[in-house]
Amino acid sequence: MSDDKPKGDMDPEAFRREGYRVVDWIARYFEDPGRYPVMSRVKPGEVRAALPASAPESGESFDAILEDFERVIVPGITHWNHPGFFAYFAITGSGPGVLGEMLSAALNAQGMLWRTSPSVTELEEVVMAWLRQLMGLPASFQGVIYDTASVSSLHALAAARQAAVPGVRAEGLAGRGLPRYRVYCSEHAHSSIDKAVILIGLGHDALRKIPADAEFRMRADALQAAIAEDRRAGIVPLAVVATVGTTSTTSVDPVEAIADVCARERAWLHVDCAYAGVAAIIPEYRHVLRGVDRADSVVVNPHKWLFTPFDLSAFYCRRMDALVEAFSLTPEYLRTSETGTVRNLMDTGVQLGRRFRALKLWMVLRYFGADGIRARLGEHMRLARLFASWVDADPDFERLAPVPFSVVCFRARPGGRQWSENELERLNQGLLDRLNASGEVFLSHTKLDGRFVLRLAVGNLRTEERHVRRAWELVKRSAPPSGSDAFPR
Ligand code: PLP
């Protein structure tokens, strides 16, 4: 059967023409993302309502598609590239990273097996070794790339479960008279650890949160005491998750002391360095990974603070055998003659298909170089310290956590009267809402020991000192004045 409908892809000339337009759009966007409000102002449902409910029956022109991209999609974007983006962990999809992403999309290589694109597997091995060396981690760590830290930590705990309960793969955990298992992390660990514990079938109650000290670091003595108490109740420690750079305050758990506990208790040690691990690329910050060389697994996210477009999470493991034991499964149709002599990425995780993520990281590392990366990370930390110094010097504000990296936790506390915690929460929530409505900056919040705190995170390559100054100006302007009784509406 044949008809006269076109069957092939976009023709090469059209691709070239539209491709140039798209690159021009990106270049213009990168020139000045600050011309958009940083946080999208659309109302819930607005984007959906502006689009047809069904796909078009006939193909449309790229003109029409790009027009709707600009008219409907862009207004619904919160601009993570905006120099005033200070929320969560600020990130950058850098130029070289975006170009790498484009080439990866063009190649559309799927790296499940070595033979389905040897470069996908081998470049991943190369860049993971580069990054490991840059951070000063030993060669005993083998690397594999996943999409997110959540997925990396899930694989870490699945490998830990495999190592502790070898029969789990065949027989599961239920109805076999096994002891109860426990995973430990600090009260400030990321929620991805909770999800991982749920997903590996231990149940959420199997996660025990260890109290932190006054600087939000896990207390190793409290960890040891919790394990001892659990052991007396017949509960076996399966894994401990330490964090270097916690989500709220970027505090650093005492990994060396925690590694001692894990060695004594024969528990798997996973270290979540999703945000702050890359700081170790700077020699003066190498110490933040002290003790991490003794971990069984580590995660660091180049998509957080290493200028790599989302998503790319670097997972390192010293027990790759346990990971492969947990996940390797080769059906007949995926058998190859080179198995045994090469690495097949499908053996190292739950997913079969793999994007070619290593390409963008390779381009980022080569384009900026180690010295360029150090300079940029160092500048972000300088800007955060500068902001912290303004907070410290102002009697109407207070800082609520140390600033080891590039995140500042602070709040307004206007002088001249006593405030209850409830009042301060309302006041600072109002301040945050007004700041974010400005369109010039976007900050997020957290709670520390029950106190509502604003977070300013510097991590975008387009953020310069003038943007941080402007953020402080806006904070000052949006806060109630000293001696004020009035609550923001
Ligand atoms: N771990 C830490 C310490 C984090 O701060 C975050 C996110 O901010 C995550 C893990 C989760 O990262 P991802 O979005 O890559 O899953």
Side-chain angles (χ1 to χ4, degrees):
M1 258 187 37
S2 94
D3 56 42
D4 56 359
K5 299 259 163 49
K7 307 285 191 307
D9 193 7
M10 185 182 231
D11 77 66
E13 260 324 301
F15 184 85
R16 182 168 286 113
R17 193 175 59 244
E18 306 306 346
Y20 284 144
R21 285 177 67 195
V22 168
V23 169
D24 278 343
W25 190 93
I26 297 172
R28 219 174 345 109
Y29 175 62
F30 279 178
E31 238 170 290
D32 185 21
R35 69 177 179 278
Y36 297 102
V38 55
M39 195 168 95
S40 170
R41 289 177 166 157
V42 300
K43 304 271 177 308
E46 201 176 316
V47 174
R48 203 168 48 238
L51 297 167
S54 310
E57 176 59 27
S58 301
E60 299 182 63
S61 73
F62 217 72
D63 255 352
I65 300 168
L66 283 184
E67 209 178 288
D68 282 352
F69 170 74
E70 189 93 56
R71 184 179 62 84
V72 182
I73 306 300
V74 174
I77 294 298
T78 289
H79 292 278
W80 291 71
N81 289 303
H82 194 294
F85 191 105
F86 296 112
Y88 313 111
F89 283 123
I91 57 173
T92 315
S94 64
V98 168
L99 294 174
E101 207 47 309
M102 284 168 68
L103 289 172
S104 165
L107 294 171
N108 202 25
Q110 201 274 64
M112 59 186 178
L113 297 165
W114 177 86
R115 70 162 53 177
T116 59
S117 276
S119 287
V120 174
T121 302
E122 295 189 14
L123 188 65
E124 180 161 323
E125 289 172 332
V126 168
V127 293
M128 289 296 280
W130 285 9
L131 181 60
R132 176 182 56 67
Q133 291 161 19
L134 285 171
M135 294 189 301
L137 291 174
S140 48
F141 281 104
Q142 281 184 281
V144 55
I145 294 176
Y146 297 120
D147 54 0
T148 57
S150 304
V151 168
S152 293
S153 291
L154 171 64
H155 283 87
L157 293 185
R161 184 187 61 170
Q162 183 65 38
V165 195
V168 68
R169 176 169 166 149
E171 300 167 74
L173 288 170
R176 297 205 286 129
L178 291 170
R180 281 168 66 201
Y181 295 99
R182 193 80 97 195
V183 175
Y184 304 83
C185 65
S186 114
E187 57 181 319
H188 291 281
H190 189 261
S191 55
S192 54
I193 307 307
D194 299 63
K195 287 192 182 180
V197 170
I198 294 166
L199 215 64
I200 62 169
L202 296 182
H204 204 182
D205 291 350
L207 182 62
R208 185 159 176 178
K209 305 256 172 112
I210 303 300
D213 66 13
E215 296 197 352
F216 312 105
R217 302 169 296 203
M218 190 201 290
R219 280 180 38 210
D221 62 325
L223 171 68
Q224 183 65 75
I227 293 178
E229 184 186 75
D230 282 348
R231 281 223 187 260
R232 285 193 294 278
I235 301 171
V236 174
L238 187 113
V240 178
V241 181
T243 311
V244 172
T246 55
T247 311
S248 286
T249 68
T250 71
S251 61
V252 177
D253 287 342
V255 179
E256 276 190 308
I258 293 169
D260 288 342
V261 175
C262 288
R264 263 196 307 277
E265 302 290 348
R266 293 181 305 285
W268 183 286
L269 173 58
H270 174 59
V271 187
D272 178 354
C273 313
Y275 154 72
V278 296
I281 297 173
I282 303 176
E284 300 80 55
Y285 282 82
R286 187 57 59 88
H287 64 89
V288 303
L289 293 187
R290 201 177 292 139
V292 176
D293 55 331
R294 295 166 62 197
D296 296 286
S297 57
V298 181
V299 57
V300 57
N301 271 4
H303 73 220
K304 276 194 165 50
W305 201 17
L306 199 59
F307 322 130
T308 306
F310 194 78
D311 51 16
L312 197 160
S313 180
F315 178 69
Y316 291 100
C317 192
R318 287 200 304 142
R319 306 274 308 273
M320 229 12 151
D321 54 319
L323 187 72
V324 170
E325 237 173 78
F327 290 106
S328 167
L329 200 159
T330 310
E332 185 53 39
Y333 45 84
L334 294 174
R335 280 189 203 289
T336 63
S337 53
E338 62 272 10
T339 298
T341 60
V342 297
R343 188 173 183 197
N344 289 320
L345 289 173
M346 68 169 189
D347 291 335
T348 53
V350 73
Q351 70 183 98
L352 174 64
R354 300 268 172 159
R355 296 184 60 223
F356 191 6
R357 292 191 179 88
L359 189 62
K360 58 188 172 185
L361 179 55
W362 184 59
M363 294 196 172
V364 165
L365 295 179
R366 290 190 62 180
Y367 188 82
F368 293 122
D371 59 352
I373 289 167
R374 286 185 197 111
R376 287 167 172 86
L377 296 177
E379 175 65 0
H380 289 165
M381 292 195 264
R382 185 188 75 81
L383 293 177
R385 284 195 301 272
L386 191 61
F387 188 90
S389 73
W390 299 330
V391 172
D392 291 347
D394 195 311
D396 292 334
F397 287 84
E398 60 182 355
R399 186 155 59 81
L400 288 108
V403 182
F405 303 105
S406 68
V407 172
V408 186
C409 292
F410 69 102
R411 67 176 176 178
R413 192 194 181 99
R417 60 160 282 188
Q418 292 291 315
W419 299 94
S420 71
E421 275 308 321
N422 270 347
E423 289 172 331
L424 281 172
E425 177 161 345
R426 278 169 57 202
L427 185 150
N428 280 281
Q429 179 69 65
L431 166 58
L432 183 62
D433 292 344
R434 279 192 301 282
L435 279 171
N436 291 343
S438 73
E440 283 191 67
V441 292
F442 180 24
L443 277 73
S444 56
H445 80 280
T446 189
K447 274 198 175 173
L448 299 175
D449 298 329
R451 293 178 297 183
F452 185 95
V453 176
L454 275 61
R455 282 172 80 266
L456 177 122
V458 184
N460 188 299
L461 288 181
R462 291 179 186 84
T463 300
E464 299 168 18
E465 186 170 322
R466 64 193 165 102
H467 302 111
V468 178
R469 279 189 189 280
R470 178 66 182 151
W472 178 238
E473 219 175 273
L474 288 168
V475 167
K476 290 281 293 168
R477 188 189 295 173
S478 311
S482 181
S484 161
D485 267 324
F487 282 110
R489 279 181 303 278

